[in-house]
Amino acid sequence: MKSYIFIFLTLINITIMNSQPNKTSEKYNKGWNKLKEIDGEAGEKVVNGLKDISPELSRFIIEYSFGEVYSLTTLDNKSKEIVAISSLIAQGAIPELKVHLNGALNTGSTINEVKEIILQMSVYCGFPKCINGMKALRQVLEERKALGIIDKEGKTASTNTTIDKYTLGAKFLAILKDNQEQILKENFQNLSPELVRLTIEYGYGDIFSRDNLDKKYRQISTISALATLGNAQPQLKFHIEAGLNIGLTVDEIKEIMLMMTVYAGFPASINGTNSLKEVIQEHKNQ
């Protein structure tokens, strides 16, 4: 009888062990190392804080988000974190944003580059989300300073004193794609000339013309925010095409959309990839 009980208990133990996530798996270890590389202690705290309520979620974050998606190699880590913070600002997800603001600073973005991304989100997500993002950055910088972390300030944007904002904005809009000023006027000048003027003056004269963030990073940020929002497909397609025009590759934009599976969900990723597919097809037909 005792031998049967022993065999029974042994089988139960084997079943329990097999049901536990294999935290020594290659994917888990790969994801854990990538998490530490990018987000450091801030990311570890989030994952560890979930283990008591949902160990499955903790494991999936490590294995899928970092073991799979973050381990793709087309975008560098700096670009990936620009995707992340832009998506999270668009959603207003402040606790998660703070984790990835740490990540952005850890992966090579300067303080002023992160500020620029947040400023740019005022165009695509509105001022309230931009304000909340800037407040989150201030908190993160204070916390990092208290830990003895000294982040690079980075380049300050030059001040335009010679060209009026409309002319400057039209010039920088044309860098993304020709004839856009004329297209805006054809669509909106009779109905809302103020919209045409403010789009060009603020979106491109005030924001896009600032010279302390690379244009590629600006487009990565914009594509991420618009794919996340999911309600502006024409504008998303425009900025995908603009990204290609200034030097982003199709593969880089594909990877932005794959990152949407982590930050905005699979529908946003699928819809964004469909927009990219349409842009590629339109280019072939031209």
Side-chain angles (χ1 to χ4, degrees):
M1 182 67 178
K2 288 182 180 180
S3 61
Y4 286 116
I5 293 173
F6 175 78
I7 293 170
F8 178 70
L9 292 174
T10 301
L11 290 172
I12 290 176
N13 286 333
I14 291 171
T15 302
I16 291 171
M17 289 174 64
N18 288 338
S19 69
Q20 297 298 312
N22 182 7
K23 293 187 178 181
T24 60
S25 70
E26 181 180 352
K27 189 185 295 185
Y28 187 96
N29 289 333
K30 185 178 183 181
W32 183 251
N33 289 333
K34 180 62 76 171
L35 170 66
K36 290 193 294 183
E37 174 189 347
I38 292 175
D39 292 332
E41 289 185 7
E44 290 180 41
K45 286 179 181 178
V46 171
V47 171
N48 290 331
L50 292 168
K51 287 181 178 177
D52 60 336
I53 182 66
S54 180
E56 296 87 354
L57 177 56
S58 176
R59 176 167 60 89
F60 292 149
I61 289 171
I62 294 169
E63 290 186 348
Y64 179 75
S65 300
F66 290 91
E68 291 277 7
V69 178
Y70 263 86
S71 293
L72 298 171
T73 57
T74 302
L75 293 173
D76 60 16
N77 286 341
K78 179 175 178 177
S79 298
K80 287 185 173 82
E81 284 304 276
I82 289 172
V83 172
I85 63 175
S86 303
S87 178
L88 292 167
I89 291 169
Q91 297 173 68
I94 299 303
E96 294 77 13
L97 173 62
K98 290 176 68 177
V99 172
H100 287 281
L101 288 171
N102 274 286
L105 295 166
N106 291 342
T107 54
S109 289
T110 66
I111 294 171
N112 282 336
E113 284 178 321
V114 176
K115 286 181 181 179
E116 283 302 310
I117 293 163
I118 297 171
L119 281 174
Q120 182 158 310
M121 291 300 96
S122 67
V123 178
Y124 301 102
C125 311
F127 280 92
K129 288 178 179 177
C130 177
I131 291 167
N132 291 338
M134 204 65 78
K135 287 180 178 178
L137 176 61
R138 181 172 59 191
Q139 292 171 1
V140 165
L141 291 174
E142 289 172 354
E143 291 165 2
R144 288 170 71 88
K145 188 175 181 180
L147 293 171
I149 301 171
I150 306 301
D151 294 299
K152 292 182 180 179
E153 195 72 26
K155 180 183 176 182
T156 302
S158 303
T159 302
N160 167 56
T161 57
T162 58
I163 307 175
D164 69 272
K165 284 197 294 185
Y166 186 93
T167 302
L168 184 66
K171 172 187 173 183
F172 274 87
L173 177 57
I175 290 172
L176 296 182
K177 190 177 179 182
D178 292 337
N179 301 321
Q180 290 309 295
E181 178 187 4
Q182 185 60 35
I183 291 171
L184 276 172
K185 286 181 175 179
E186 289 173 357
N187 285 320
F188 301 112
Q189 187 70 25
N190 292 335
L191 178 63
S192 180
E194 296 85 359
L195 177 60
V196 174
R197 178 176 61 82
L198 294 174
T199 297
I200 293 174
E201 286 185 354
Y202 183 71
Y204 295 92
D206 278 327
I207 299 298
F208 192 82
S209 68
R210 290 167 66 86
D211 61 357
N212 59 341
L213 182 66
D214 187 275
K215 293 180 182 64
K216 287 186 180 181
Y217 291 137
R218 288 196 183 276
Q219 285 309 106
I220 287 171
S221 174
T222 300
I223 291 167
S224 173
L226 291 172
T228 297
L229 292 170
N231 57 4
Q233 188 187 27
Q235 289 76 25
L236 175 58
K237 287 179 63 178
F238 168 77
H239 283 284
I240 288 172
E241 186 169 4
L244 294 172
N245 290 342
I246 64 166
L248 289 178
T249 68
V250 169
D251 285 342
E252 286 173 325
I253 298 174
K254 284 180 186 177
E255 197 160 299
I256 293 171
M257 298 313 172
L258 287 172
M259 288 197 69
M260 290 299 98
T261 66
V262 175
Y263 293 105
F266 279 84
S269 176
I270 292 168
N271 291 337
T273 303
N274 275 331
S275 293
L276 172 60
K277 182 179 177 182
E278 290 174 15
V279 169
I280 294 169
Q281 188 59 50
E282 288 166 8
H283 274 208
K284 288 180 180 177
N285 294 338
Q286 290 175 356

